Structure formats: structure tokens, C-alpha cells
Amino acid sequence: MSEFWPKLTPGYPRDLPAWQALVEHVNGPIASTSMATLFSRDANRVRRFSQKAGDIYADFSKNRINTTTWRLLLALAGEANVEAWRDAMFAGEHINTSEDRAVLHTALRARPRERFRDGGQNATRAVHAVLDAMGAFVNGVHRGRIVGSKRKPFTDIVNIGIGGSDLGIVMAVKALEHHRGKRPRVHSVSNVDGTQLADLKQSLNPATTLFVICSKTFTTQETMSNAAEARRWIRRTLGDAAVQRHFAAASTNHAAMDRFGINPEYRFGFWDWVGGRYSIWSAVGLSVALAIGMKNFRELLDGGRTMDRHFRRAPLRENLPVTMALLAFWYNQFFGAETQAILPYDNRLDRFPAFLQQMQMESNGKSVRIDGAPVTVETGMVIFGEAGNNAQHSFYQLLHQGTRVIPVDFILPARSSGASRKAQRLAVANCLAQSQALMLGRSATEVRASGITDPVDIAQRVHSGNRPSTTLVFPALTPSTLGQLIALYEHKVFVEGVLCGINSFDQWGVQLGKVLAKNVEKRLANPRKTEALDASTEALLATLRKLGV
């Protein structure tokens, strides 16, 4: 590991002075003091525990913290060298230590004159060369200069990818649907079982369909399996020569793209310092740009840059991603919280929780520190969520009366992206009421006051309250505010990783299953010619063969 990195202490972070102070603190009055009491004692609590970055206002006052908690958490961030790691990331240091790579997704949304370097290479210049090429392609599609083999404009775009090459696309296209106008519809295909593409083909016209293949190596099994089926469909319906007209790609493997038949002018590259879950800002976002237009796509990038500047420049005590990371760490380590709920009160953000699942769980689902030692703390809370009102009739019961501590992030635009003013007021009222209910709860006295007298009924209607939540408010769901939200959580996850002492930018746990899947596939295809697997897998394969696999 580079001499640059601050060395981790043997028991990091448990042997840091701030950790020890937090252990004493959490076992003191803060454990038994309700948030309602904290509000009654501090008339300035909302002002003290709220922050703003760009267009996003964050109310942290409904969290189980006081000024002492906050002072100790900030001390922990200082002792964990959060600022040094942050500055190293922006400087292009290879903080992805296991793969010896820079982490420069922030360069993807930089302005042309901002300097980001990967070793001796000018990353910013390379980024803008690709963005300019994407812009020419997107404008060509939208203006009818780039058309299909039958000279018809494209009406449908099908993004073929998986993981970061799919989740971000699906989320952003839906979130920004109100910015699509008359541009082509965008669909996504990811799963290796082929059903998504099979269903889509029933409603698509091959003559007006453009496929965008997203795979850095152009070898990803799921992606290339679906891409091969799409190519067969185009060849069968439009002829072999049509492939060059109906496929574009975000990849760097030109030899593989040559073999597939991708038009050299329809190729857009990205770099090994772009992790999959951070790739929406890169050429992988081509389908998003085709959905909303290049001007709006650049506004998405500018939104991310706004949050980058805040994260890079704001002191820790006023730094929104740092605050969110410290609170998540506080609940995970000191309250035993294993999950966190993400609850957007705009249905167009209903895929945002799934997007954040990968962001959090692939980044921080680790059990080994950057120095190879086992972690000493809990890592990687499980992220789940759903659009707010739907979730109220689904799993909010667990949030309000379950036995576990589940911190909640409410995400609330002030103005709807499409509904009436009345409908938006209902959404706002429900969001604020839920955060209020989680905090205050409902006492037995209050239940009795409503006319309930049976002791069992009273017990079942009591809400303990004191359940933490953060509310993020912004003017409206736009490309810029979506970009700010994405970058906010990117940096929050990174800071959590620093606090745990792990590398948030590799994902070796994903690789093992891919390797084993190839062995199982070979065994399935040639059971007599390949080595046997474990007993359970062999029994399952035998059962599946009988069922017609």
C-alpha cells in the first residue's frame, strides 16, 4: 500500500479516542433521552442540526443526537483522516488499493478547465472528448440524421447492461421522464434469463430500435448474452448489414466490438477508474442522454459537480455527505441498526432505493480492511425502500412498531414533477406526518384519550417513537437536483468506508459467483465430460434436468 495512506491502528476504528468516548456517551443519558425531550430543551435544535448544499436542504434534527454526540462524531471523522482520504480521491491518488486504481468518477462531471489527472494523463480532457462525441451522436439521433437501416428515425432505445450499467439508467430515465418530451422511449434489458428482451420484442419495431450495449470489457456474460440475442433479431428481421445501424456501445474493447459489428462512429469509451456503480456519469449514461437530451444530461453532470464542490470545500461540521455518513455509522455501530430505509415522496424516484442498494451494499459490504486485517466493526447496512405512499401501506408498520432501529431518509421535492398542486400537498403532508410520527410516537395516555379503554387494545396502539429520520428537501426533481442527490450518496458511502477502514471501490465478492457459474454451466451442458460439483449442486442439477433444463 502507498506510503501516502494514513496507517490504520490495529483495532481501527475501535481504538481511536473518539470511539471510546462515543461508547461512554451512548451508554449515558443520550440512550434514555427521547428526541421529543431534546426538542423541548433546545429551541434552536432545528437550526443547529440542519444543513444545505446546493439545492438540497437536510433536516437532521429528528435524529438521536445532541451537541455532545455531534462533537464526538466530528472528532471521529478527524481521527479517521476523512479529509485526507477525500483530498486523495480528488487528486487522483490510487485509493482503490486492491486494484491499484484512481477513483475519478468526479472527473466525469468536471468542467473543461478543471484539472483531474490519472497519473500523467489529463482525465478531464479525455472525459470531454467523449462527452462531445456523445453529444454529436445524441443530437444526430434526435434530429433524424442518425437513423436505422430502413432510413427511419429511432423511436425506441434499448439499453443492454447489468449492475451499474443498468440500475442507474433505469432509475434516471424514470426519474426524468418529464424531461423526455418527444424523444425516443428508453427500455432496459439486464437479466441473463432473456425474458426482458423476449417481452420487449413483442412491442418493438426492429426498423426503429437502437440498442446500446454497456460493458467496459465487452465480455460481461449477462450483457453479451442479451446483446447476441438482440443481434440475431436484427439480422433475422433486417439483414446482416443492419447491425452497424442499430447498435451503439459504451466499451473500450475495440477488437470485440469489431467482431460484434459495432460501427466505429457509434462507440464511446470510458476508463478503469470508473467503477460500474459510478458510471452513469460516463458513456454508460448514453441511454439517459438519448432519453432527456444532451443539454439535460450535462445539467445532471453539473448537479453532481455542485455536490462535489461542497464535499471538497465545506468543513466537516457543515459537510452534508460527511454528516449523513456519520449518522449512518452512529446507528450501525452504536445502536445495532442493520438496515436503512430510503423513502422518496415522488413516484418517479421509486427506483432510487434500488440504485442506492448497489451503491451502499456493493461498496461497503466488506469484511477485510484496506491493510488486509479483518474489520473490527459492522459494515454495509442493508438498504431498502420504496416510493413513500406505497411503502406506507407495505412496510411502514415495521418502521413504527417493530423491534429494530431502522434509520430513515425521507426524500421530498417541494414541487411535483407532474401531479396537481393538491396531489403534491397530500404527498408533502404524508411525508412530514410520517417523520413526525416516527419521532413522537403515541403514548398509552394519548391512546386512552382517544376513547380506547381495553388494556390490550391500548398496548397494541402505543407507538414508542424516538425512531430516527432525516428529511432531504429540494425545489423540484430536475436533472440538476437528481445529480446532486446521486453525488451526495456517493460521497456519503465513501466516507462510511473510510470510517470502517475498507476499500469502497472494489467488489471481489461479485467475482466468485461469476467464476462458479461458468463451472456450473459447463456441468449442465456436458455432465459426463466435466468434473462433479458439490453434492447439493449435483442434486439440484439432476432435478432441473428432469424438469427439462
Side-chain angles (χ1 to χ4, degrees):
M1 194 165 62
S2 168
E3 290 301 314
F4 169 84
W5 313 122
K7 296 295 187 292
L8 299 184
T9 54
Y12 178 94
R14 288 178 176 272
D15 54 7
L16 297 177
W19 177 284
Q20 301 302 321
L22 282 164
V23 170
E24 294 180 11
H25 174 66
V26 77
N27 290 321
I30 191 68
S32 57
T33 304
S34 70
M35 283 188 279
T37 300
L38 294 173
F39 271 94
S40 68
R41 291 175 179 173
D42 185 359
N44 294 317
R45 182 172 174 82
V46 174
R47 180 183 58 79
R48 195 184 312 280
F49 294 115
S50 61
Q51 294 174 1
K52 190 172 188 296
D55 292 310
I56 298 176
Y57 168 82
D59 176 9
F60 298 113
S61 64
K62 294 191 184 79
N63 280 283
R64 297 181 65 172
I65 57 173
N66 59 20
T67 53
T68 300
T69 318
W70 188 232
R71 175 177 58 78
L72 294 175
L73 287 171
L74 287 172
L76 183 70
E79 292 171 10
N81 296 297
V82 165
E83 290 173 304
W85 282 97
R86 174 197 64 190
D87 295 344
M89 180 180 72
F90 281 98
E93 297 280 355
H94 286 205
I95 67 169
N96 181 351
T97 51
S98 70
E99 297 177 294
D100 193 23
R101 291 176 179 172
V103 176
L104 282 176
H105 52 276
T106 52
L108 298 170
R109 52 234 192 190
R111 294 281 175 82
R113 293 185 179 181
E114 293 178 287
R115 293 177 63 84
F116 283 85
R117 304 194 72 82
D118 176 32
Q121 302 298 314
N122 186 328
T124 314
R125 183 182 301 163
V127 164
H128 280 273
V130 173
L131 279 173
D132 290 344
M134 285 174 60
F137 181 80
V138 169
N139 290 334
V141 170
H142 290 166
R143 294 171 184 174
R145 293 196 299 266
I146 295 176
V147 294
S149 59
K150 299 295 185 183
R151 301 296 175 184
K152 294 181 179 180
F154 292 114
T155 59
D156 294 271
I157 312 296
V158 179
N159 188 84
I160 301 179
I162 197 164
S165 299
D166 173 74
L167 288 166
I169 308 305
V170 173
M171 179 275 295
V173 167
K174 179 161 188 182
L176 300 176
E177 169 65 24
H178 52 301
H179 289 272
R180 184 171 67 85
K182 297 181 179 180
R183 299 182 183 96
R185 297 177 294 272
V186 173
H187 318 272
S188 292
V189 169
S190 59
N191 209 308
V192 74
D193 68 11
T195 56
Q196 290 170 302
L197 184 57
D199 291 344
L200 263 180
K201 287 189 296 186
Q202 304 303 313
S203 60
L204 295 177
N205 178 355
T208 60
T209 299
L210 173 68
F211 293 92
V212 178
I213 305 171
C214 296
S215 172
K216 188 184 299 183
T217 62
F218 221 70
T219 60
T220 308
Q221 183 186 56
E222 299 90 344
T223 300
M224 298 317 300
S225 175
N226 282 314
E229 177 57 31
R231 181 175 59 176
R232 284 191 288 270
W233 184 56
I234 290 296
R235 281 176 163 173
R236 186 170 63 252
T237 55
L238 301 175
D240 289 353
V243 171
Q244 285 214 344
R245 291 278 190 176
H246 289 267
F247 286 86
S251 180
T252 54
N253 189 341
H254 290 281
M257 287 188 283
D258 286 340
R259 290 191 294 271
F260 190 93
I262 302 292
N263 187 330
E265 295 182 5
Y266 293 7
R267 304 176 184 181
F268 307 93
F270 54 113
W271 305 269
D272 64 5
W273 41 258
V274 181
R277 53 196 174 278
Y278 305 94
S279 63
I280 189 174
W281 317 98
S282 71
V284 170
L286 179 62
S287 293
V288 179
L290 286 164
I292 65 176
M294 202 63 195
K295 179 176 181 294
N296 285 323
F297 186 75
R298 288 184 181 275
E299 286 184 13
L300 178 78
L301 301 182
D302 282 344
R305 177 177 175 273
T306 295
M307 193 56 64
D308 292 343
R309 293 182 66 189
H310 168 79
F311 178 53
R312 195 173 187 178
R313 299 178 181 182
L316 294 183
R317 67 182 181 277
E318 300 170 6
N319 199 300
L320 196 53
V322 172
T323 299
M324 292 182 68
L326 287 171
L327 287 172
F329 193 79
W330 169 238
Y331 294 121
N332 192 10
Q333 310 305 331
F334 297 96
F335 286 82
E338 298 177 343
T339 62
Q340 181 177 19
I342 308 295
L343 306 171
Y345 273 75
D346 187 313
N347 199 65
R348 288 190 168 127
L349 281 171
D350 74 339
R351 297 302 294 163
F352 194 62
F355 173 72
L356 293 185
Q357 279 179 342
Q358 185 198 24
M359 181 70 64
Q360 174 81 43
M361 296 166 69
E362 191 168 270
S363 295
N364 290 346
K366 312 289 172 62
S367 56
V368 176
R369 305 189 318 190
I370 57 171
D371 59 1
V375 297
T376 65
V377 295
E378 300 297 333
T379 65
M381 281 199 290
V382 174
I383 301 298
F384 72 102
E386 177 65 81
N389 273 85
N390 286 343
Q392 287 176 207
H393 296 268
S394 174
F395 55 76
Y396 270 44
Q397 171 64 39
L398 179 68
L399 301 182
H400 284 291
Q401 291 187 306
T403 58
R404 300 179 185 276
V405 175
I406 303 175
V408 173
D409 284 358
F410 292 102
I411 300 175
L412 178 64
R415 299 190 301 275
S416 170
S417 59
S420 67
R421 190 175 182 185
K422 181 180 179 181
Q424 180 63 6
R425 283 177 173 172
L426 282 172
V428 169
N430 274 272
C431 180
L432 299 186
Q434 292 295 330
S435 69
Q436 184 183 35
L438 287 169
M439 179 190 72
L440 293 177
R442 193 184 193 198
S443 68
T445 300
E446 290 171 320
V447 176
R448 289 189 196 96
S450 70
I452 305 297
T453 58
D454 182 79
V456 174
D457 286 349
I458 291 171
Q460 290 175 340
R461 285 167 171 77
V462 168
H463 290 54
S464 64
N466 213 31
R467 295 170 184 251
S469 70
T470 293
T471 303
L472 303 177
V473 176
F474 48 96
L477 184 55
T478 66
S480 176
T481 55
L482 181 62
Q484 291 173 53
L485 278 172
I486 297 171
L488 167 61
Y489 279 96
E490 286 178 348
H491 297 319
K492 176 250 188 187
V493 168
F494 166 51
V495 173
E496 280 188 79
V498 171
L499 295 171
C500 293
I502 60 179
N503 177 4
S504 296
F505 301 104
D506 61 12
Q507 54 279 332
W508 297 110
V510 177
Q511 304 304 319
L512 177 59
K514 292 181 179 180
V515 173
L516 295 180
K518 292 180 180 178
N519 296 335
V520 174
E521 185 182 11
K522 290 178 182 177
R523 183 72 178 154
L524 190 60
N526 298 293
R528 296 181 179 178
K529 296 182 180 180
T530 54
E531 186 176 341
L533 305 171
D534 65 273
S536 171
T537 304
E538 285 293 339
L540 288 168
L541 285 173
T543 300
L544 288 164
R545 288 190 195 101
K546 291 177 181 177
L547 294 173
V549 171

